[in-house]
Amino acid sequence: MEYTLLGKSNLNVSKLGFGCMSLNYNDQNSAFSIISKAIDNGINLFDTADLYDHGENEVLLGKAVKTKRHDIIIATKVGNQWRPDNQSWDWNPTKKYILASVEDSLRRLNTDYIDLYQLHGGTIADPIDETISAFEQLKREGKIRYYGISSIRPNVINEYIKKSHIVSVMMQYSLLDRRPEEACLSQLLEHNIGVLVRGGLAKGLLVNKPPVNYLNYTAEQVKDAADAVARNSGASRAVTQTALEFVFQHPAVSSAIVGIRTIEQLDEALKTIHSPKLNTEEMQQLRSAIPINKYEEHRI
């Protein structure tokens, strides 16, 4: 397994991260086995959120890693507040809410510190200074080691780069979503802020799902992208590895968070560790398969 320091932190994160959202908390023994195998194969970054399964996802992760807590990096998120009906949620990035929520996450995760605490979204209308103040206080108190945000919005990212000490930004990035390439990735690289990629397989559309419209791409264009991935795969690199290697090629990327629910999915993802990197010709074939898209909103 390859490891990279996450931005300006001392968190040495695995190239492949484990997205916990898909784990089945009704089958805990299976989930524990999957997480244990991931750790045994070098994965040390586990990403969850207080939103997932009304907090039960954090509980599951906390139980699964209890005896290996100091060997792994726990990343969780805050900002989405469930309504009393537990059917929907509101956005709440206030200091009061963040300071209260971290206590609940610590209890559910059965730990006294969170390695990476992330704002689970964000808008330019947020009380950003107040949000940053909450994270900085939690760092001083030792309840979190570092903080970051989960966002693809250029205007939000710009504000946090200017005002905060974020060490990471989680964002969607894949062959079917190259919006971060326009400015965000190079900007974050310049400021030594690590990128945690989600959606590297584009909901499976680059791997095994039937083509459908995705973002601004038609189903036909999605098929073109998937076909390009398939053409650049073979005996030594399957389609999953090709799609993920495309993401890993960008120097701003610290880790790709892959949602894993089954042992089979874990095994397929783990093959990426040993798969050959894409060469220049292969990267060009992938890039030219479909036109690059651009993020038109949230720029100012």
Side-chain angles (χ1 to χ4, degrees), residues 1-3 12 14-20 23 30-47 60-74 115 260 263 266-267 269-270 273:
M1 179 67 73
E2 295 178 26
Y3 299 88
N12 211 23
S14 50
K15 172 182 178 179
L16 193 64
F18 192 115
C20 298
L23 286 172
S30 175
F32 293 168
S33 296
I34 295 169
I35 291 173
S36 180
K37 183 173 183 178
I39 295 173
D40 290 344
N41 282 272
I43 294 177
N44 72 350
L45 176 60
F46 291 82
D47 179 75
L60 180 63
L61 179 60
K63 289 180 179 178
V65 303
K66 183 171 63 173
T67 61
K68 302 179 180 181
R69 174 66 186 96
H70 299 296
D71 300 325
I72 67 157
I73 294 167
I74 291 179
D115 298 287
I260 295 170
I263 284 286
L266 173 62
D267 289 341
L270 285 171
I273 301 170

Side-chain angles (χ1 to χ4, degrees), residues 125-173:
D126 290 348
I128 292 176
D129 291 337
E130 181 181 330
T131 302
I132 294 170
S133 176
F135 285 126
E136 290 290 344
Q137 179 177 326
L138 292 176
K139 276 185 63 180
R140 291 192 301 270
E141 294 174 350
K143 294 177 180 177
I144 67 172
R145 296 175 66 190
Y146 300 98
Y147 65 96
I149 62 173
S150 176
S151 178
I152 195 176
R153 296 179 174 185
N155 55 2
V156 173
I157 291 171
N158 286 338
E159 287 299 298
Y160 278 89
I161 288 176
K162 288 188 297 185
K163 295 181 174 182
S164 78
H165 296 100
I166 57 171
V167 299
S168 65
V169 174
M170 180 178 285
M171 59 173 58
Q172 185 169 297
Y173 178 48

Side-chain angles (χ1 to χ4, degrees), residues 173-210:
Y173 178 48
S174 72
L175 181 60
L176 279 171
D177 189 356
R178 291 172 59 195
R179 295 174 298 175
E181 289 183 7
E182 183 201 359
C184 290
L185 292 179
S186 58
Q187 186 180 19
L188 292 168
L189 181 62
E190 178 186 352
H191 288 87
N192 194 19
I193 296 170
V195 174
L196 301 177
V197 168
R198 62 178 180 84
L201 301 179
K203 297 183 177 180
L205 292 171
L206 290 171
V207 181
N208 54 16
K209 297 286 181 66

